[in-house]
Amino acid sequence: MPVRATTRGDARTPLDLDCDVLICGASFAGLAVARELAGATLPDGRRPDVVVVDRYEIGERATSACAVPLPWLEALGLTGALRQTFRRIVARTEDHSFSWALPEPFATFDYRELCRLLAAQGDFRFETAKVEGRARAAAPRPGEPLAIATDRGELRAPLVVDALGWRRILAPASEATIQPPEAYLSRGLEVHPEGVSGELELFLNPRYVPDGYAWSFPAGHEIRVGVGSFDPREHVKDPTLRLADDLGRDAVRFQGNWIPHRLRAATGDGVFFVGDSAGHCLPLTAEGIRPALHFGVLLGRELRWTLEGRQTREQALRRHAARSAQKLPAYRWLLRLQRLAGRAIPRRRLLTAVLAALSPFSVSTRAWGAYLRTFSASALDAPPAPDPGVALPAAARPARAGRPASAGAARAERGGAPAGAPAD
């Protein structure tokens, strides 16, 4: 597990700066945005000043179980963080086991290393500071910088991204603040004992949680064992300890978080929201890495267009909001399935019948394929989808050197023609 490196007390010097882009949050979504801005050029010929700020050092505080379909690591040049791959997933109930082939292999990875690799593809200045909110409540006028308050001072930029997680710290003052357990949040907790396993396992068992699921995700010489509840009122520490004991694993190195399971507005009063702050984490599975990378990369391309003078901030806000909203039907279906799963898990016979019906190879691969297409790495290589009423920027520029050579990354290197939301 990472050792805390963030400075404290007198080591946190005052901070007061202006920049072209301010990205608040240095995990998957924020770093993906920054990645796409590397090599951008402003209309006056200078390189933009991009600042990434986070309460912790990059990669210091893991935020998830760190598993994603392998094609995403390949497309973004992140396979150096790979720890283990899986061709099948095993679902276990109280008295049955079901094994499903996966259309794409899943991979577990090292959080710190992936963040380091993602950051290395960017070109930005990093500062450790706790973002506290907007320094001014009023919405900015077109082109006017936004002022952001931190525990080290005020930061100002015309393009501001909130990738800070479910708390949505930079939300407009007019937006109702809903805290757990009333918010649309799941809750999860996991432990990270040492160990080796070859199975990616899910546990659908009311012994651990009646409305949710548990997991065991091997990652090299570490096993990530945890419990997630769709009901934010359901505590998950005791079930996590119970699961670890049942699996013969040590309950050490705890990590937990709230997990959004409903889309929220992707823009507000001039701010771009991405990742958990926009509710991009998928319902039912609580998978947030693919959506964070997907929307992070595409938002980064929108901001690049804006920096290069090919669209205004207001156009970029509209396009980002429209792209996020295009996923609403898929999110609604997954939320319905999440609610149905919560009802089925305590009913042993019903749960067994449903999982058995999903087990034939043709059925399971079709179901998993549909789920994976919700956010496919191939979408990064798709042509841009126009937002009615918002003109597309100019065509792509020549490729930039020094980036991953995958098909998706090659499209990213050209600095233009960002992919819109894929047609699912």
Side-chain angles (χ1 to χ4, degrees):
M1 294 293 287
V3 176
R4 186 178 299 280
T6 303
T7 55
R8 296 287 187 269
D10 293 340
R12 294 174 76 80
T13 56
L15 187 64
D16 184 274
L17 61 84
D18 293 272
C19 56
D20 297 302
V21 183
L22 175 62
I23 301 170
C24 303
S27 190
F28 309 118
L31 293 175
V33 173
R35 172 188 188 271
E36 297 304 309
L37 300 179
T41 304
L42 297 175
D44 62 7
R46 67 181 177 89
R47 291 291 179 90
D49 184 11
V50 179
V51 174
V52 177
V53 61
D54 196 284
R55 183 176 181 177
Y56 301 95
E57 291 286 349
I58 294 175
E60 180 180 340
R61 184 173 179 268
T63 56
S64 78
C66 297
V68 71
L70 181 60
W72 279 89
L73 299 184
E74 294 172 336
L76 297 176
L78 303 173
T79 54
L82 180 65
R83 290 297 175 265
Q84 202 164 337
T85 59
F86 307 87
R87 294 281 180 176
R88 306 187 70 86
I89 189 167
V90 178
R92 304 192 188 280
T93 66
E94 290 182 89
D95 44 18
H96 291 85
S97 293
F98 303 88
S99 180
W100 300 318
L102 295 168
E104 296 177 357
F106 257 71
T108 51
F109 60 86
D110 180 82
Y111 176 82
R112 177 176 285 233
E113 182 63 11
L114 185 136
C115 288
R116 187 190 70 79
L117 291 171
L118 200 53
Q121 295 180 32
D123 181 12
F124 58 86
R125 180 170 24 147
F126 177 74
E127 296 284 352
T128 55
K130 179 183 177 183
V131 176
E132 297 177 334
R134 297 171 183 244
R136 298 167 182 73
R141 293 187 293 272
E144 181 183 52
L146 287 79
I148 304 302
T150 77
D151 64 344
R152 292 178 58 193
E154 186 177 291
L155 313 179
R156 295 164 297 276
L159 299 174
V160 174
V161 176
D162 181 331
L164 292 165
W166 66 270
R167 287 184 178 84
R168 199 172 165 87
I169 292 172
L170 300 182
S174 59
E175 185 175 300
T177 301
I178 305 175
Q179 297 295 328
E182 286 73 29
Y184 296 110
L185 297 168
S186 301
R187 65 190 306 173
L189 180 70
E190 66 182 13
V191 292
H192 294 179
E194 294 181 356
V196 177
S197 173
E199 289 189 322
L200 192 70
E201 298 176 279
L202 295 178
F203 300 89
L204 305 174
N205 189 334
R207 169 175 166 75
Y208 305 120
V209 59
D211 189 359
Y213 64 94
W215 63 88
S216 175
F217 286 5
H221 295 288
E222 175 184 87
I223 309 288
R224 294 152 187 175
V225 175
V227 172
S229 173
F230 301 144
D231 182 354
R233 295 173 179 80
E234 186 78 26
H235 293 279
V236 291
K237 183 175 181 178
D238 287 344
T240 301
L241 297 175
R242 193 178 307 125
L243 174 62
D245 184 63
D246 288 351
L247 297 177
R249 306 293 183 186
D250 294 330
V252 294
R253 294 182 287 275
F254 285 80
Q255 168 189 295
N257 206 355
W258 295 99
I259 307 161
H261 57 239
R262 179 172 289 193
L263 279 181
R264 305 184 73 178
T267 60
D269 282 0
V271 173
F272 299 85
F273 296 88
V274 67
D276 283 6
S277 70
H280 285 151
C281 190
L282 289 169
L284 183 62
T285 61
E287 189 191 357
I289 299 170
R290 277 191 305 148
L293 293 173
H294 172 94
F295 285 113
V297 166
L298 299 184
L299 173 58
R301 296 177 188 178
E302 291 290 343
L303 298 186
R304 185 186 184 95
W305 281 2
T306 308
L307 290 170
E308 293 174 344
R310 292 189 274 167
Q311 67 178 353
T312 66
R313 177 178 66 190
E314 286 61 40
Q315 288 175 314
L317 286 163
R318 287 183 58 187
R319 285 176 54 79
H320 179 58
R323 178 176 288 121
S324 182
Q326 281 185 316
K327 292 295 183 182
L328 188 56
Y331 273 73
R332 284 174 173 164
W333 271 108
L334 286 171
L335 186 56
R336 290 188 188 108
L337 291 175
Q338 174 178 303
R339 290 166 175 163
L340 289 173
R343 295 170 187 165
I345 289 170
R347 302 176 183 179
R348 185 181 302 183
R349 291 183 180 178
L350 174 60
L351 179 63
T352 300
V354 170
L355 296 180
L358 291 172
S359 292
F361 179 79
S362 61
V363 177
S364 65
T365 53
R366 191 178 307 155
W368 277 105
Y371 171 74
L372 292 172
R373 283 194 300 273
T374 305
F375 288 103
S376 171
S378 64
L380 303 182
D381 206 29
D387 168 26
V390 180
L392 287 172
R397 301 194 316 163
R400 290 176 281 135
R403 300 291 292 280
S406 67
R411 179 76 64 176
E413 290 179 6
R414 293 195 283 271
D424 294 328

